[in-house]
Amino acid sequence: MAGDLVVGMLYNLLLPLLLLTASSFRYNGLSVVYFVFLLILPLLPNPSLVTLKGGTGQFLRLIIYISLIFLSLQCFMQIPFAYIPPDVSSIWEDVLYHLGIVRFSLVDPGNVVRLLAPDLGLLSSTLFTLKMCKKLLHPPPQVNLNENGIPQSNTEVKDVETSDTESEEESDSDGSSFDSSEQTVPVQSGPPQFVQKLIMFAAGLRLLLSAIMNTAGKVVVTLLLGLAGIIVPSLTSGVYFGVFLGLVWWWIFSRSISMLFFSSLSVMMAIFSGGHLLALYLYQLPLSQILVPPDDVYARVFGMTGVIRTSISHPHSLGLHPHVCWPDFINPLILLLLYYTLVALLHKWVHITEEDTADGDKSETPLESPEAPPSFSRVIYITGDKQEVTEKHE
């Protein structure tokens, strides 16, 4: 139980914060990959003995491999940069600059650390998370205890095996009484001390979030939709505000919202908010702001706010646009919270619908296998089938 709590805290709290930090330290082509990982992370099931051998384990290893490749690529490219003058390869350096590979000889030490820290941090932290998940989720070893409760040594086990082969011709009662004197119990190995300190916090956080999602999941989603719609008024935020008003007025007229409708709406809003987040992040890249300036009418209409600014004189330093205010910083965080809340709620509905179908049909299909990750489309299909059945009975 303690191992599951710590693993959930590492995967659902620490790893998203690290990916968000790595995406915020620099804005280039390499960091876009980390931001996509941040959006993919909640779609996968939590680590377990089964999922670590499947999609979740492959995803963690992919983060390790990608961060190692990016770090090696940036260090390796300094060798040709040392022999090629900047004026000779100016065009290629501009292309590599937008991809995230720069000449460190032209960058001050502070920005060199800023450019390398995301790869180093993700490489070490994801490797630590993967090792801790395997260690905490590993089943405890089994030992044999005799009738006095003392573990048997290897020689005693061998003696018992030889005595069993010699006494095969004896009566069954003697054999059964001898077998009943041995028990197999798991060895209880406690977690490390620093892990034990996190157990109480993880348990309280898990109970709090679970209670909120169980009792007021739809209300939380509706409030987040309203906040996402009013924090930065634009054409894209109008979609969130329109959905918020529709849900509120539907409840005002004392009309209930079926699970089929709300789950379908949640899937569509999760896709829309994820695409909106990716578009906002891509607009922070220097190339995007060169093509469409922040003062352009189309950027303002669609809510593409330029927060990060890179000057021509100091292209390797980050700055802020002078017109930026606090809603521009809060808006991406609310959208990210909305996206994670919608995906978490859909995960919960998937497990509920699968448990209901498992009670009605005991035969295990590939979709109901514990090795298969949750599918959000199953929420829509299963709830739709339930609605058709209830309508037929009525």
mmCIF file of all heavy atoms in Angstrom, residues 163-213:
data_model
loop_
_atom_site.group_PDB
_atom_site.id
_atom_site.type_symbol
_atom_site.label_atom_id
_atom_site.label_comp_id
_atom_site.label_asym_id
_atom_site.label_seq_id
_atom_site.Cartn_x
_atom_site.Cartn_y
_atom_site.Cartn_z
ATOM 1 N N SER A 163 13.873 -36.503 2.263
ATOM 2 C CA SER A 163 13.040 -37.323 3.147
ATOM 3 C C SER A 163 11.658 -37.533 2.548
ATOM 4 O O SER A 163 11.035 -38.580 2.738
ATOM 5 C CB SER A 163 12.929 -36.666 4.519
ATOM 6 O OG SER A 163 12.298 -35.396 4.403
ATOM 7 N N ASP A 164 11.172 -36.541 1.771
ATOM 8 C CA ASP A 164 9.868 -36.707 1.123
ATOM 9 C C ASP A 164 9.923 -37.781 0.049
ATOM 10 O O ASP A 164 8.982 -38.561 -0.111
ATOM 11 C CB ASP A 164 9.414 -35.377 0.513
ATOM 12 C CG ASP A 164 9.021 -34.373 1.589
ATOM 13 O OD1 ASP A 164 8.748 -34.845 2.720
ATOM 14 O OD2 ASP A 164 9.001 -33.168 1.309
ATOM 15 N N THR A 165 11.016 -37.816 -0.703
ATOM 16 C CA THR A 165 11.128 -38.842 -1.740
ATOM 17 C C THR A 165 11.264 -40.236 -1.152
ATOM 18 O O THR A 165 10.796 -41.228 -1.723
ATOM 19 C CB THR A 165 12.340 -38.551 -2.627
ATOM 20 O OG1 THR A 165 13.514 -38.449 -1.804
ATOM 21 C CG2 THR A 165 12.153 -37.220 -3.378
ATOM 22 N N GLU A 166 11.910 -40.332 0.015
ATOM 23 C CA GLU A 166 12.058 -41.651 0.642
ATOM 24 C C GLU A 166 10.764 -42.125 1.283
ATOM 25 O O GLU A 166 10.552 -43.335 1.446
ATOM 26 C CB GLU A 166 13.165 -41.583 1.702
ATOM 27 C CG GLU A 166 14.559 -41.374 1.091
ATOM 28 C CD GLU A 166 15.608 -41.218 2.170
ATOM 29 O OE1 GLU A 166 15.214 -41.199 3.366
ATOM 30 O OE2 GLU A 166 16.801 -41.113 1.840
ATOM 31 N N SER A 167 9.897 -41.193 1.677
ATOM 32 C CA SER A 167 8.666 -41.568 2.381
ATOM 33 C C SER A 167 7.442 -41.513 1.482
ATOM 34 O O SER A 167 6.352 -41.206 1.928
ATOM 35 C CB SER A 167 8.459 -40.655 3.589
ATOM 36 O OG SER A 167 8.347 -39.317 3.161
ATOM 37 N N GLU A 168 7.634 -41.711 0.191
ATOM 38 C CA GLU A 168 6.493 -41.700 -0.734
ATOM 39 C C GLU A 168 5.558 -42.876 -0.510
ATOM 40 O O GLU A 168 4.373 -42.808 -0.838
ATOM 41 C CB GLU A 168 7.006 -41.717 -2.183
ATOM 42 C CG GLU A 168 7.610 -40.394 -2.611
ATOM 43 C CD GLU A 168 8.091 -40.471 -4.049
ATOM 44 O OE1 GLU A 168 8.049 -41.582 -4.611
ATOM 45 O OE2 GLU A 168 8.509 -39.435 -4.580
ATOM 46 N N GLU A 169 6.088 -44.009 0.020
ATOM 47 C CA GLU A 169 5.270 -45.190 0.215
ATOM 48 C C GLU A 169 4.539 -45.191 1.546
ATOM 49 O O GLU A 169 3.846 -46.148 1.870
ATOM 50 C CB GLU A 169 6.156 -46.442 0.116
ATOM 51 C CG GLU A 169 6.805 -46.606 -1.257
ATOM 52 C CD GLU A 169 7.681 -47.831 -1.314
ATOM 53 O OE1 GLU A 169 7.847 -48.484 -0.250
ATOM 54 O OE2 GLU A 169 8.219 -48.139 -2.395
ATOM 55 N N GLU A 170 4.728 -44.149 2.366
ATOM 56 C CA GLU A 170 4.069 -44.089 3.670
ATOM 57 C C GLU A 170 2.617 -43.676 3.487
ATOM 58 O O GLU A 170 2.160 -43.340 2.393
ATOM 59 C CB GLU A 170 4.802 -43.108 4.581
ATOM 60 C CG GLU A 170 6.237 -43.576 4.929
ATOM 61 C CD GLU A 170 6.905 -42.589 5.855
ATOM 62 O OE1 GLU A 170 6.267 -41.560 6.171
ATOM 63 O OE2 GLU A 170 8.043 -42.860 6.268
ATOM 64 N N SER A 171 1.888 -43.649 4.554
ATOM 65 C CA SER A 171 0.458 -43.331 4.506
ATOM 66 C C SER A 171 0.257 -41.844 4.201
ATOM 67 O O SER A 171 1.131 -41.029 4.451
ATOM 68 C CB SER A 171 -0.207 -43.665 5.849
ATOM 69 O OG SER A 171 0.384 -42.889 6.886
ATOM 70 N N ASP A 172 -0.957 -41.523 3.661
ATOM 71 C CA ASP A 172 -1.258 -40.142 3.308
ATOM 72 C C ASP A 172 -1.444 -39.270 4.543
ATOM 73 O O ASP A 172 -1.215 -38.065 4.503
ATOM 74 C CB ASP A 172 -2.532 -40.079 2.467
ATOM 75 C CG ASP A 172 -2.345 -40.784 1.138
ATOM 76 O OD1 ASP A 172 -1.171 -40.916 0.723
ATOM 77 O OD2 ASP A 172 -3.364 -41.205 0.547
ATOM 78 N N SER A 173 -1.864 -39.862 5.626
ATOM 79 C CA SER A 173 -2.060 -39.060 6.837
ATOM 80 C C SER A 173 -0.758 -38.515 7.367
ATOM 81 O O SER A 173 -0.683 -37.385 7.854
ATOM 82 C CB SER A 173 -2.763 -39.900 7.919
ATOM 83 O OG SER A 173 -1.954 -41.019 8.244
ATOM 84 N N ASP A 174 0.311 -39.347 7.302
ATOM 85 C CA ASP A 174 1.599 -38.856 7.767
ATOM 86 C C ASP A 174 2.107 -37.734 6.877
ATOM 87 O O ASP A 174 2.678 -36.750 7.356
ATOM 88 C CB ASP A 174 2.620 -40.002 7.791
ATOM 89 C CG ASP A 174 2.255 -41.075 8.807
ATOM 90 O OD1 ASP A 174 1.516 -40.725 9.760
ATOM 91 O OD2 ASP A 174 2.684 -42.231 8.640
ATOM 92 N N GLY A 175 1.885 -37.891 5.578
ATOM 93 C CA GLY A 175 2.359 -36.856 4.657
ATOM 94 C C GLY A 175 1.619 -35.547 4.839
ATOM 95 O O GLY A 175 2.193 -34.467 4.759
ATOM 96 N N SER A 176 0.301 -35.630 5.060
ATOM 97 C CA SER A 176 -0.469 -34.403 5.227
ATOM 98 C C SER A 176 -0.114 -33.690 6.516
ATOM 99 O O SER A 176 -0.061 -32.462 6.569
ATOM 100 C CB SER A 176 -1.965 -34.725 5.206
ATOM 101 O OG SER A 176 -2.279 -35.610 6.273
ATOM 102 N N SER A 177 0.165 -34.455 7.597
ATOM 103 C CA SER A 177 0.544 -33.820 8.850
ATOM 104 C C SER A 177 1.911 -33.171 8.745
ATOM 105 O O SER A 177 2.167 -32.135 9.348
ATOM 106 C CB SER A 177 0.542 -34.850 9.985
ATOM 107 O OG SER A 177 1.510 -35.862 9.710
ATOM 108 N N PHE A 178 2.797 -33.753 7.926
ATOM 109 C CA PHE A 178 4.120 -33.160 7.769
ATOM 110 C C PHE A 178 4.057 -31.879 6.924
ATOM 111 O O PHE A 178 4.730 -30.898 7.202
ATOM 112 C CB PHE A 178 5.060 -34.179 7.111
ATOM 113 C CG PHE A 178 6.436 -33.635 6.837
ATOM 114 C CD1 PHE A 178 7.344 -33.487 7.861
ATOM 115 C CD2 PHE A 178 6.806 -33.262 5.549
ATOM 116 C CE1 PHE A 178 8.607 -32.989 7.598
ATOM 117 C CE2 PHE A 178 8.056 -32.768 5.292
ATOM 118 C CZ PHE A 178 8.969 -32.638 6.322
ATOM 119 N N ASP A 179 3.171 -31.898 5.926
ATOM 120 C CA ASP A 179 3.073 -30.721 5.064
ATOM 121 C C ASP A 179 2.417 -29.562 5.786
ATOM 122 O O ASP A 179 2.686 -28.403 5.490
ATOM 123 C CB ASP A 179 2.285 -31.047 3.800
ATOM 124 C CG ASP A 179 3.049 -32.032 2.914
ATOM 125 O OD1 ASP A 179 4.289 -32.066 3.058
ATOM 126 O OD2 ASP A 179 2.408 -32.762 2.128
ATOM 127 N N SER A 180 1.510 -29.875 6.716
ATOM 128 C CA SER A 180 0.815 -28.797 7.413
ATOM 129 C C SER A 180 1.710 -28.053 8.375
ATOM 130 O O SER A 180 1.368 -26.974 8.831
ATOM 131 C CB SER A 180 -0.388 -29.364 8.168
ATOM 132 O OG SER A 180 0.066 -30.296 9.159
ATOM 133 N N SER A 181 2.884 -28.635 8.706
ATOM 134 C CA SER A 181 3.793 -27.978 9.637
ATOM 135 C C SER A 181 4.630 -26.907 8.961
ATOM 136 O O SER A 181 5.353 -26.182 9.622
ATOM 137 C CB SER A 181 4.713 -29.009 10.289
ATOM 138 O OG SER A 181 5.530 -29.613 9.301
ATOM 139 N N GLU A 182 4.576 -26.797 7.610
ATOM 140 C CA GLU A 182 5.353 -25.801 6.886
ATOM 141 C C GLU A 182 4.416 -24.734 6.338
ATOM 142 O O GLU A 182 3.331 -25.026 5.853
ATOM 143 C CB GLU A 182 6.128 -26.444 5.735
ATOM 144 C CG GLU A 182 7.202 -27.419 6.203
ATOM 145 C CD GLU A 182 7.978 -27.979 5.025
ATOM 146 O OE1 GLU A 182 7.586 -27.637 3.885
ATOM 147 O OE2 GLU A 182 8.940 -28.712 5.243
ATOM 148 N N GLN A 183 4.851 -23.510 6.374
ATOM 149 C CA GLN A 183 4.085 -22.387 5.864
ATOM 150 C C GLN A 183 4.994 -21.513 5.017
ATOM 151 O O GLN A 183 6.194 -21.428 5.266
ATOM 152 C CB GLN A 183 3.496 -21.541 7.002
ATOM 153 C CG GLN A 183 2.476 -22.304 7.847
ATOM 154 C CD GLN A 183 1.965 -21.444 8.971
ATOM 155 O OE1 GLN A 183 2.455 -20.340 9.172
ATOM 156 N NE2 GLN A 183 0.988 -21.940 9.697
ATOM 157 N N THR A 184 4.383 -20.878 4.021
ATOM 158 C CA THR A 184 5.111 -19.954 3.160
ATOM 159 C C THR A 184 4.556 -18.561 3.378
ATOM 160 O O THR A 184 3.381 -18.303 3.109
ATOM 161 C CB THR A 184 4.959 -20.347 1.685
ATOM 162 O OG1 THR A 184 5.462 -21.674 1.522
ATOM 163 C CG2 THR A 184 5.734 -19.383 0.779
ATOM 164 N N VAL A 185 5.382 -17.675 3.880
ATOM 165 C CA VAL A 185 4.959 -16.317 4.188
ATOM 166 C C VAL A 185 5.909 -15.352 3.507
ATOM 167 O O VAL A 185 7.082 -15.652 3.293
ATOM 168 C CB VAL A 185 4.957 -16.063 5.722
ATOM 169 C CG1 VAL A 185 3.953 -16.947 6.405
ATOM 170 C CG2 VAL A 185 6.345 -16.259 6.311
ATOM 171 N N PRO A 186 5.404 -14.174 3.128
ATOM 172 C CA PRO A 186 6.275 -13.186 2.506
ATOM 173 C C PRO A 186 7.154 -12.494 3.537
ATOM 174 O O PRO A 186 6.764 -12.291 4.682
ATOM 175 C CB PRO A 186 5.289 -12.191 1.885
ATOM 176 C CG PRO A 186 4.057 -12.324 2.710
ATOM 177 C CD PRO A 186 3.999 -13.755 3.154
ATOM 178 N N VAL A 187 8.352 -12.143 3.120
ATOM 179 C CA VAL A 187 9.277 -11.420 3.972
ATOM 180 C C VAL A 187 8.930 -9.934 3.897
ATOM 181 O O VAL A 187 8.877 -9.359 2.808
ATOM 182 C CB VAL A 187 10.733 -11.656 3.518
ATOM 183 C CG1 VAL A 187 11.684 -10.798 4.347
ATOM 184 C CG2 VAL A 187 11.090 -13.119 3.684
ATOM 185 N N GLN A 188 8.664 -9.338 5.010
ATOM 186 C CA GLN A 188 8.295 -7.938 5.060
ATOM 187 C C GLN A 188 9.551 -7.083 5.095
ATOM 188 O O GLN A 188 10.276 -7.069 6.081
ATOM 189 C CB GLN A 188 7.425 -7.660 6.312
ATOM 190 C CG GLN A 188 6.131 -8.438 6.346
ATOM 191 C CD GLN A 188 5.199 -8.022 5.240
ATOM 192 O OE1 GLN A 188 5.268 -6.897 4.760
ATOM 193 N NE2 GLN A 188 4.337 -8.933 4.816
ATOM 194 N N SER A 189 9.818 -6.410 3.976
ATOM 195 C CA SER A 189 10.969 -5.517 3.902
ATOM 196 C C SER A 189 10.455 -4.093 3.862
ATOM 197 O O SER A 189 9.739 -3.704 2.936
ATOM 198 C CB SER A 189 11.802 -5.816 2.652
ATOM 199 O OG SER A 189 11.019 -5.699 1.506
ATOM 200 N N GLY A 190 10.778 -3.302 4.865
ATOM 201 C CA GLY A 190 10.280 -1.948 4.951
ATOM 202 C C GLY A 190 10.931 -1.042 3.928
ATOM 203 O O GLY A 190 12.065 -1.260 3.500
ATOM 204 N N PRO A 191 10.207 0.006 3.467
ATOM 205 C CA PRO A 191 10.778 0.963 2.517
ATOM 206 C C PRO A 191 11.855 1.802 3.182
ATOM 207 O O PRO A 191 11.978 1.822 4.413
ATOM 208 C CB PRO A 191 9.574 1.810 2.117
ATOM 209 C CG PRO A 191 8.630 1.694 3.256
ATOM 210 C CD PRO A 191 8.827 0.315 3.815
ATOM 211 N N PRO A 192 12.653 2.520 2.398
ATOM 212 C CA PRO A 192 13.671 3.393 2.987
ATOM 213 C C PRO A 192 13.059 4.464 3.878
ATOM 214 O O PRO A 192 11.864 4.756 3.813
ATOM 215 C CB PRO A 192 14.355 4.002 1.749
ATOM 216 C CG PRO A 192 14.085 3.046 0.651
ATOM 217 C CD PRO A 192 12.746 2.447 0.942
ATOM 218 N N GLN A 193 13.916 5.058 4.690
ATOM 219 C CA GLN A 193 13.423 6.012 5.685
ATOM 220 C C GLN A 193 12.832 7.258 5.039
ATOM 221 O O GLN A 193 11.797 7.764 5.484
ATOM 222 C CB GLN A 193 14.570 6.406 6.630
ATOM 223 C CG GLN A 193 14.130 7.313 7.781
ATOM 224 C CD GLN A 193 15.264 7.628 8.721
ATOM 225 O OE1 GLN A 193 16.397 7.197 8.487
ATOM 226 N NE2 GLN A 193 14.986 8.373 9.772
ATOM 227 N N PHE A 194 13.477 7.771 3.983
ATOM 228 C CA PHE A 194 12.951 8.987 3.366
ATOM 229 C C PHE A 194 11.634 8.707 2.641
ATOM 230 O O PHE A 194 10.817 9.616 2.460
ATOM 231 C CB PHE A 194 13.985 9.573 2.398
ATOM 232 C CG PHE A 194 14.095 8.826 1.093
ATOM 233 C CD1 PHE A 194 13.402 9.229 -0.026
ATOM 234 C CD2 PHE A 194 14.909 7.710 0.996
ATOM 235 C CE1 PHE A 194 13.509 8.544 -1.218
ATOM 236 C CE2 PHE A 194 15.022 7.032 -0.183
ATOM 237 C CZ PHE A 194 14.323 7.449 -1.296
ATOM 238 N N VAL A 195 11.409 7.457 2.235
ATOM 239 C CA VAL A 195 10.143 7.102 1.613
ATOM 240 C C VAL A 195 9.034 7.072 2.657
ATOM 241 O O VAL A 195 7.884 7.474 2.385
ATOM 242 C CB VAL A 195 10.265 5.755 0.876
ATOM 243 C CG1 VAL A 195 8.915 5.307 0.328
ATOM 244 C CG2 VAL A 195 11.276 5.858 -0.254
ATOM 245 N N GLN A 196 9.342 6.601 3.852
ATOM 246 C CA GLN A 196 8.335 6.541 4.914
ATOM 247 C C GLN A 196 7.829 7.925 5.296
ATOM 248 O O GLN A 196 6.671 8.084 5.685
ATOM 249 C CB GLN A 196 8.920 5.835 6.130
ATOM 250 C CG GLN A 196 9.259 4.369 5.888
ATOM 251 C CD GLN A 196 9.869 3.718 7.117
ATOM 252 O OE1 GLN A 196 10.062 4.372 8.142
ATOM 253 N NE2 GLN A 196 10.179 2.441 7.013
ATOM 254 N N LYS A 197 8.690 8.942 5.171
ATOM 255 C CA LYS A 197 8.263 10.294 5.512
ATOM 256 C C LYS A 197 7.258 10.851 4.512
ATOM 257 O O LYS A 197 6.490 11.762 4.830
ATOM 258 C CB LYS A 197 9.482 11.218 5.576
ATOM 259 C CG LYS A 197 10.457 10.858 6.684
ATOM 260 C CD LYS A 197 11.651 11.797 6.689
ATOM 261 C CE LYS A 197 12.638 11.439 7.783
ATOM 262 N NZ LYS A 197 13.819 12.341 7.783
ATOM 263 N N LEU A 198 7.268 10.317 3.299
ATOM 264 C CA LEU A 198 6.335 10.793 2.279
ATOM 265 C C LEU A 198 5.008 10.046 2.276
ATOM 266 O O LEU A 198 4.076 10.440 1.566
ATOM 267 C CB LEU A 198 6.979 10.656 0.888
ATOM 268 C CG LEU A 198 8.255 11.453 0.647
ATOM 269 C CD1 LEU A 198 8.815 11.116 -0.722
ATOM 270 C CD2 LEU A 198 8.012 12.941 0.776
ATOM 271 N N ILE A 199 4.917 8.969 3.046
ATOM 272 C CA ILE A 199 3.727 8.128 2.984
ATOM 273 C C ILE A 199 2.505 8.867 3.522
ATOM 274 O O ILE A 199 1.427 8.839 2.905
ATOM 275 C CB ILE A 199 3.966 6.813 3.763
ATOM 276 C CG1 ILE A 199 5.015 5.959 3.028
ATOM 277 C CG2 ILE A 199 2.670 6.043 3.922
ATOM 278 C CD1 ILE A 199 5.379 4.698 3.760
ATOM 279 N N MET A 200 2.643 9.522 4.656
ATOM 280 C CA MET A 200 1.505 10.215 5.257
ATOM 281 C C MET A 200 1.010 11.350 4.367
ATOM 282 O O MET A 200 -0.200 11.531 4.184
ATOM 283 C CB MET A 200 1.888 10.757 6.633
ATOM 284 C CG MET A 200 2.222 9.672 7.637
ATOM 285 S SD MET A 200 0.853 8.490 7.853
ATOM 286 C CE MET A 200 -0.412 9.568 8.480
ATOM 287 N N PHE A 201 1.946 12.106 3.789
ATOM 288 C CA PHE A 201 1.543 13.192 2.905
ATOM 289 C C PHE A 201 0.867 12.648 1.650
ATOM 290 O O PHE A 201 -0.153 13.187 1.200
ATOM 291 C CB PHE A 201 2.763 14.026 2.529
ATOM 292 C CG PHE A 201 2.466 15.094 1.510
ATOM 293 C CD1 PHE A 201 1.777 16.241 1.880
ATOM 294 C CD2 PHE A 201 2.868 14.944 0.196
ATOM 295 C CE1 PHE A 201 1.498 17.218 0.936
ATOM 296 C CE2 PHE A 201 2.593 15.907 -0.741
ATOM 297 C CZ PHE A 201 1.909 17.064 -0.367
ATOM 298 N N ALA A 202 1.418 11.585 1.078
ATOM 299 C CA ALA A 202 0.830 11.000 -0.126
ATOM 300 C C ALA A 202 -0.544 10.422 0.163
ATOM 301 O O ALA A 202 -1.468 10.544 -0.651
ATOM 302 C CB ALA A 202 1.761 9.921 -0.690
ATOM 303 N N ALA A 203 -0.710 9.793 1.349
ATOM 304 C CA ALA A 203 -2.004 9.214 1.701
ATOM 305 C C ALA A 203 -3.064 10.302 1.881
ATOM 306 O O ALA A 203 -4.201 10.173 1.394
ATOM 307 C CB ALA A 203 -1.878 8.390 2.972
ATOM 308 N N GLY A 204 -2.711 11.390 2.550
ATOM 309 C CA GLY A 204 -3.665 12.480 2.724
ATOM 310 C C GLY A 204 -4.027 13.155 1.417
ATOM 311 O O GLY A 204 -5.192 13.477 1.174
ATOM 312 N N LEU A 205 -3.018 13.358 0.554
ATOM 313 C CA LEU A 205 -3.291 13.979 -0.747
ATOM 314 C C LEU A 205 -4.160 13.084 -1.621
ATOM 315 O O LEU A 205 -5.071 13.556 -2.307
ATOM 316 C CB LEU A 205 -1.963 14.276 -1.449
ATOM 317 C CG LEU A 205 -2.039 14.983 -2.797
ATOM 318 C CD1 LEU A 205 -2.638 16.374 -2.625
ATOM 319 C CD2 LEU A 205 -0.656 15.079 -3.431
ATOM 320 N N ARG A 206 -3.905 11.791 -1.556
ATOM 321 C CA ARG A 206 -4.708 10.861 -2.352
ATOM 322 C C ARG A 206 -6.150 10.811 -1.865
ATOM 323 O O ARG A 206 -7.092 10.795 -2.686
ATOM 324 C CB ARG A 206 -4.077 9.472 -2.285
ATOM 325 C CG ARG A 206 -4.763 8.419 -3.137
ATOM 326 C CD ARG A 206 -4.037 7.115 -3.046
ATOM 327 N NE ARG A 206 -4.661 6.090 -3.863
ATOM 328 C CZ ARG A 206 -4.220 4.840 -3.973
ATOM 329 N NH1 ARG A 206 -3.126 4.468 -3.311
ATOM 330 N NH2 ARG A 206 -4.841 3.969 -4.738
ATOM 331 N N LEU A 207 -6.355 10.816 -0.563
ATOM 332 C CA LEU A 207 -7.723 10.810 -0.029
ATOM 333 C C LEU A 207 -8.467 12.092 -0.380
ATOM 334 O O LEU A 207 -9.658 12.069 -0.708
ATOM 335 C CB LEU A 207 -7.685 10.622 1.490
ATOM 336 C CG LEU A 207 -7.268 9.229 1.998
ATOM 337 C CD1 LEU A 207 -7.164 9.241 3.521
ATOM 338 C CD2 LEU A 207 -8.279 8.179 1.545
ATOM 339 N N LEU A 208 -7.765 13.221 -0.318
ATOM 340 C CA LEU A 208 -8.401 14.496 -0.624
ATOM 341 C C LEU A 208 -8.823 14.566 -2.090
ATOM 342 O O LEU A 208 -9.966 14.921 -2.409
ATOM 343 C CB LEU A 208 -7.440 15.637 -0.287
ATOM 344 C CG LEU A 208 -7.925 17.055 -0.618
ATOM 345 C CD1 LEU A 208 -9.179 17.384 0.174
ATOM 346 C CD2 LEU A 208 -6.827 18.069 -0.352
ATOM 347 N N LEU A 209 -7.914 14.221 -2.988
ATOM 348 C CA LEU A 209 -8.232 14.270 -4.417
ATOM 349 C C LEU A 209 -9.304 13.255 -4.788
ATOM 350 O O LEU A 209 -10.179 13.532 -5.616
ATOM 351 C CB LEU A 209 -6.965 14.036 -5.243
ATOM 352 C CG LEU A 209 -5.883 15.110 -5.131
ATOM 353 C CD1 LEU A 209 -4.666 14.724 -5.963
ATOM 354 C CD2 LEU A 209 -6.410 16.466 -5.563
ATOM 355 N N SER A 210 -9.238 12.073 -4.176
ATOM 356 C CA SER A 210 -10.242 11.059 -4.463
ATOM 357 C C SER A 210 -11.624 11.501 -3.998
ATOM 358 O O SER A 210 -12.628 11.281 -4.694
ATOM 359 C CB SER A 210 -9.860 9.742 -3.793
ATOM 360 O OG SER A 210 -10.824 8.751 -4.031
ATOM 361 N N ALA A 211 -11.693 12.134 -2.825
ATOM 362 C CA ALA A 211 -12.989 12.618 -2.325
ATOM 363 C C ALA A 211 -13.545 13.717 -3.219
ATOM 364 O O ALA A 211 -14.750 13.759 -3.495
ATOM 365 C CB ALA A 211 -12.829 13.126 -0.892
ATOM 366 N N ILE A 212 -12.673 14.608 -3.705
ATOM 367 C CA ILE A 212 -13.145 15.686 -4.585
ATOM 368 C C ILE A 212 -13.656 15.120 -5.897
ATOM 369 O O ILE A 212 -14.722 15.515 -6.394
ATOM 370 C CB ILE A 212 -12.013 16.703 -4.813
ATOM 371 C CG1 ILE A 212 -11.687 17.443 -3.508
ATOM 372 C CG2 ILE A 212 -12.390 17.700 -5.899
ATOM 373 C CD1 ILE A 212 -10.507 18.382 -3.615
ATOM 374 N N MET A 213 -12.919 14.175 -6.479
ATOM 375 C CA MET A 213 -13.327 13.608 -7.761
ATOM 376 C C MET A 213 -14.585 12.762 -7.626
ATOM 377 O O MET A 213 -15.396 12.681 -8.559
ATOM 378 C CB MET A 213 -12.195 12.782 -8.348
ATOM 379 C CG MET A 213 -10.939 13.590 -8.663
ATOM 380 S SD MET A 213 -11.207 14.934 -9.825
ATOM 381 C CE MET A 213 -11.511 14.012 -11.315
#
